[in-house]
Amino acid sequence: MLSDVAVDHREKAYALLKADADKILRLIKVQMDNLTMPQCPLYEEVLDTQMFGLSREIHFAVRLNLVTEEEGKELLDNLEKQLNVLHEAAQKS
């Protein structure tokens, strides 16, 4: 059984990773709102860099047993789904 301190650290780690994922989503939304199209190399560069950074943070948290691999994968999958929705909306406008 995990101690209260371990549970607290796990919850904080997950919350920080979730906040970083939300920050990436906001950053990409701002880029799209300011007419940077998804086909733009700058858009792709920012997205790739941010997603790589988040995946490394998640990998580190998994190695420390602060989040499970499944939780990390779910964070990345949810972010990718939300980014796809933004991308599709930009294509229609």
Side-chain angles (χ1 to χ4, degrees):
M1 181 167 156
L2 292 175
S3 71
D4 289 344
V5 172
V7 170
D8 187 50
H9 283 123
R10 288 179 56 98
E11 289 172 356
K12 284 182 181 175
Y14 187 85
L16 288 170
L17 292 169
K18 176 77 170 92
D20 284 351
D22 292 344
K23 193 184 317 175
I24 292 170
L25 187 61
R26 284 193 307 275
L27 173 69
I28 297 303
K29 184 167 178 5
V30 165
Q31 275 195 306
M32 292 179 115
D33 289 348
N34 289 300
L35 304 177
T36 302
M37 297 309 294
Q39 299 82 6
C40 174
L42 177 61
Y43 168 87
E44 289 293 333
E45 183 74 24
V46 169
L47 182 57
D48 289 348
T49 301
Q50 294 295 318
M51 292 298 286
F52 178 76
L54 180 61
S55 71
R56 300 313 306 152
E57 285 180 51
I58 290 170
H59 179 70
F60 185 67
V62 167
R63 290 178 61 200
L64 291 174
N65 290 321
L66 293 172
V67 297
T68 65
E69 281 190 48
E70 186 58 37
E71 289 170 326
K73 183 176 178 345
E74 185 178 307
L75 271 172
L76 284 175
D77 289 348
N78 286 339
L79 178 56
E80 287 177 4
K81 286 176 190 168
Q82 292 176 4
L83 289 169
N84 284 336
V85 168
L86 279 180
H87 181 78
E88 287 172 18
Q91 299 289 65
K92 292 179 183 174
S93 36

